[in-house]
Amino acid sequence: MRTERKPTRLDRVFARLDREPERPELLDAPEMSRHRFALFAGTLAFYIAIVWAVVITSWLVRLDWQVMFFRPYQQWPEIHAFVDYYVVLGQRGPTAVMVAAWLGWRSWRQHTLRPLLALGVSLLLLNVTVGAAKYGMGRLGPHYATTIGANEMWLGGDIFPSGHTANAVVTWGILAYLASTHRARRWLSALSAVTSLGVGMSTVYLGTHWLSDVLLGWAAGLLILLALPWFEPLITRAEAWILGLRDRWSARRGRERAGKRPAGRPVPVTPAGSGRPGAPAREPVSAPRTARAVYLAPGPHTARSDRTPVTPAGSRRPPHADRHPRNTASAARPLSGG
């Protein structure tokens, strides 16, 4: 009897991940090269400079107020509706769902969990670093500013750096980071830079962020993308742990199925008296049948012997008066004259 279980959809997904990648030579993870490390150091210095310029209320804060008083949404009201929709490209929920769907398809085609795990690590770093900076510096936005010309720091706000801008840099830039070819990486890097630039300028146009918030958001998102090669060993170990957990779960389910007795197997019964030598074997006695209920039509009922036989209509038998008992001579019948 076959006891194999039909593989589920989850089993088929992990079975596909077990196979070799289609293009293993194009799936090398980026390394922290000297060029990348120099970019990381320069971006970190730019990040610190922006924070320091805002803390000391330098010319950058005066530029923030000038842009706010300019009120771009009043200068160009005809593009307001378009900007309201475009700024969604920087929101965490919609962008994460779209990018995760694409990277999930990439994971299926390349038989690896690395794209999805890299996205998860980048979003985790984004939440930790940008969230800590927002609530740590507590800057108020243009619509809630209290003192003209002030930097509005440590007043309970949560807009510095711009989360929309940093999220746009990370979620769209991860596509370039995971690109399989150098040409695709260049094109996707340019596309993500333009998209994040547009998202940042959209928040300034709507008046929800200062210009310095957007500059710091760009730097924060770029730092996360540049630091991802340091987390590649963690991504590799996480993938191996997930697949190992899958293997242990499958093995345990296999042992549980092997330990169960198949249902419906007949149990042999030894007849009574078979243990004594020379005793005749008894035939198995079947269980008594239960009497079936007989439905009787309503009305008086007579015994079968009291009933008068009835000749069915259309029967070929002669009427009752012409019948003769068997083994008796039949009465002489008149012969018709010919």
Side-chain angles (χ1 to χ4, degrees), residues 70-153:
F70 182 70
R71 291 181 172 84
Y73 58 89
Q74 293 182 356
Q75 301 296 329
W76 302 289
E78 60 275 4
I79 64 172
H80 198 289
F82 170 77
V83 174
D84 281 338
Y85 287 103
Y86 185 84
V87 79
V88 177
L89 295 177
Q91 289 184 0
R92 187 74 46 82
T95 55
V97 170
M98 289 187 290
V99 174
W102 169 257
L103 294 181
W105 183 81
R106 284 276 307 274
S107 295
W108 174 262
R109 290 295 304 272
Q110 296 177 350
H111 321 308
T112 175
L113 292 176
R114 178 175 169 263
L116 288 176
L117 292 176
L119 175 64
V121 170
S122 62
L123 292 180
L124 180 62
L125 291 175
L126 179 66
N127 290 332
V128 172
T129 58
V130 175
K134 278 176 174 288
Y135 292 103
M137 290 182 279
R139 190 182 190 189
L140 294 176
H143 294 316
Y144 301 96
T146 57
T147 304
I148 297 177
N151 58 14
E152 304 296 327
M153 296 282 286

Side-chain angles (χ1 to χ4, degrees), residues 53 63 97 101 105 111 122 193 213 231 246 259-260 270 272 306 337:
L63 180 61
V97 170
W105 183 81
H111 321 308
S122 62
D213 298 342
F231 295 89
R246 183 281 315 263
K260 292 181 179 180
T270 304
D306 298 337

Side-chain angles (χ1 to χ4, degrees), residues 83 86-87 165 168 192-204 218:
V83 174
Y86 185 84
V87 79
T165 306
S192 61
V194 171
T195 303
S196 57
L197 176 65
V199 170
M201 290 294 99
S202 296
T203 60
V204 174
W218 284 332

